[in-house]
Structure formats: structure tokens, C-alpha cells
Amino acid sequence: MAVTPDAQRFARRAGGDVGEGIAAILSLLGLPGLISFAGGFPDPSTFPRERAAALLGEFAASGETSAFQYAPTRGLVGPLDAVAARLEATQGRRPADNELLIASGAIEGLELVSKTFLDAGDVAVVEGPTYLGAIMAFRGYDAELVAVPMDEHGLQVDKLERRLADGVRPKLLYTIPDHQNPAGVSMSSERREQLVELARRHGFLIVEDVAYRELAFDGAALPSLWSLAPDAVVQLGTTSKTFFPGVRLGWAVGPAEISAQLVNAKQNTDQCAGALGQRLFEEYVRRGWIEEQLAQSRALYRRKSERMLAALERYMPHGTTWTRPQGGFFSWLTLPDGVDSADLARRAVESGVGIVPGGLFFADGSGADKARLSFSMVDEERIDEGIALLASLVSAQREVWRTER
Ligand SMILES: Cc1ncc(COP(=O)(O)O)c(C=O)c1O
């Protein structure tokens, strides 16, 4: 029997084109010279190289072992305390010890939640559009995905209410209320209140992903869903965008009974998040360095966003629209009639510009007239050139469509 498995021997969950989609985006990022608006990666200039190196030196010199050892599944005591203190400072509520877990990134948080809640055929409501990693996580457990549309104030909660009235019975609802990936919009205060009320009334869990919450350009934030309804929300956080993703670190905070189940689920995924990253982040918080870094990151991303929006204004043909983010990494483009985003993305990469076609962010394959533009990692000096190139491709495709009609 052949040692290398053929496709038929893979489990069903190993298939699917969404995974290939993510792989395609990542491979685009690697092309030399590409002006990439594709990946949602942080700008490498935000990486705390010197401080990370100094802390590593301290850990080694002091003879500390915890940074180098296995950690408890829930996390090391010190880092848990640092995360809890930050949650209290930034969201006004300190979790109890049995409500908080340190995860190996928010993606792992999604995996743990899926493993804990989703049987085949269970309904998970997502935003339309939503984060591709969440679509993949829920699909990995054969959940049925139901998308509820968004507008400039985030998830359209009235439309959700209608779906619930029509008989949709979700186990969970996944939302990114702040500076959403990919739409670049935030949920209004009013809708946050309405959403938690619906969750309590209909008995579904809200999974709140706060990946970009601390990256508002002006540092402001609306109440988190978890702070509004700690009984009905599991919040997934990450240090990837505010510290650095190389440590693969995040948190899950929610009701104690659920948290205990997430700890169980983690015991047979990776057992514990890396202790070294936990200790680095703890010290970063304790020394106040995270606040310094956040101030710099916010200023950098604001500048890059403004530059990209100004270039869109200058170069994009009539009929193209985009969202105006107040934080985070993304603007969401709506293309004029006759321009297909997958086709555009293909032509763009041939011309040296990376974008992500909208279809990847919808569970049902819609989004052909949408594209995600990320300003986080693109070289600031090449934003104008990249958008001008993209705009010329949009205009050209639209002209072809017009003449063919
Ligand atoms: C909404 C959202 N959640 C989670 C993640 C991933 O977080 P982590 O690096 O902690 O796994 C991302 C990164 O792109 C994201 O955009």
C-alpha cells in the first residue's frame, strides 16, 4: 500500500476550496516587488525587536524556568493576571480566574469554540462578509453557515431578528464588532445592545472576535459585547496585531462553565500556549510598553489608511465605492457594474498589485463585486502607485464590459 495518501484517504474536512483560498493569499504575499493590499499582516516596523531581545536576555540571566517550561492549559498565572488587568482597563470588567484562558492565537480560540459547540449540521450565524479563518473553522466541524448582511453600522441586527423569526436556530453567532475584517466597519452601540438582547432571548452564544479592537485610530472604543453580556458572550482576543504574531498568543474569556469546556478542548489540541510568548507579553504589559507600542501603531495605520483612501478618491473610476475605516487594517471596495473581483485580482497580481477578491469572505460564494484592500503591510511610499494601477484595471475591465454589451 502506498505510504503517501491519495486525496480519497484524507478526511472530508481536509477538502474544500476555502483553505486553498487562504493559501493563495499567503503565496501572493511572497512575490518579490508586489505592492500588496492582500494580507492582513501587521506592519513589521511595529515589531518590538530590541525589547523582545532584552526580555529574552533577562529570562535567561535570571534563571527563570517558567518561560521555557510547559505551562498549565489555562495559562501561566502571571500572564493570565496581566491579560485580566488589561481587560479591566480597556473593557471595564475583570474576568474571574475561571473565566479566562490563554490561547495560541484567536484562530485557536475559534477552533476550541467550534470543537466545544458544533456538531454536524448545527447552525453558526456569521456576518456577510466575515473572516475567512472563521468560515474555515466552522466548516471544519460541518456546521451550516448562515450569513446576515452588514452595512456601515455593522451587522444588520434587524435582519438577524427576521431570520430568527423565520425559524433559524443558531448554536452560535460570530461577529467582529470593531473595525471588521474584511468590511472595515464597526457595530453601533445601539446594535450591540440589540444583539445581546436577542442572544439572551433566543439562547444562542455570541462569539465576539476583538482582533482589531485596540487599533482604533483615535484609541476610542464602544462597549465590548462581552462587557455588556458576560453571561452570553465568549470573547476571542489576539496579541497578533498589537504585539507580534510570531508568538501565536490570544485569549478566550466567557462564562465559567464554557471556559472549563474550552480548557478541556485545549488539552488535546496543543495542551498549552507557548510559555515564552506568554511571559514576553506579560512583561510587555507590566512595563507599560504595550501602550507605547499601541500609540505608535495607531498613528502608523491611520497615516496609511488616510493615504490609501486619498488615492482611491483620486484614481478610482465613478461607480466604485469603499468603506472609510476608523481603525484596523481594511477598507472594503464595491466595484462598478461589469467588474468581477476574482478576475480583477488575477489581473492585478499580473500587474504587480495584490488584493483579495470578495468571494473569499462569504460563506455562500457571493461577493463578486467586492474586494478587500488592506493598508497594514503595504509599503507607504507605494500606496499611490498601487491604487493608481488597480484603478486603471478597474476602468479597463468596465470599458470592456460596456463595449461588449
Ligand atoms: C478577525 C480576525 N480574527 C482572528 C485573526 C487571527 O488571529 P491570531 O493571529 O491570533 O490567530 C485575524 C487575523 O487575520 C483576524 O482578522
Side-chain angles (χ1 to χ4, degrees), residues 262-276:
L262 299 181
V263 171
N264 276 347
K266 190 167 174 59
Q267 259 149 15
N268 62 7
T269 53
D270 66 353
Q271 190 187 312
C272 64
L276 188 56

Side-chain angles (χ1 to χ4, degrees), residues 105-107 131 174 176 181 209 211-212 238 240-241 248-249:
I107 291 181
Y131 170 51
Y174 171 74
I176 310 158
N181 178 8
D209 184 332
Y212 303 94
T238 175
S240 291
K241 321 291 174 175
R248 309 302 299 126
L249 201 66

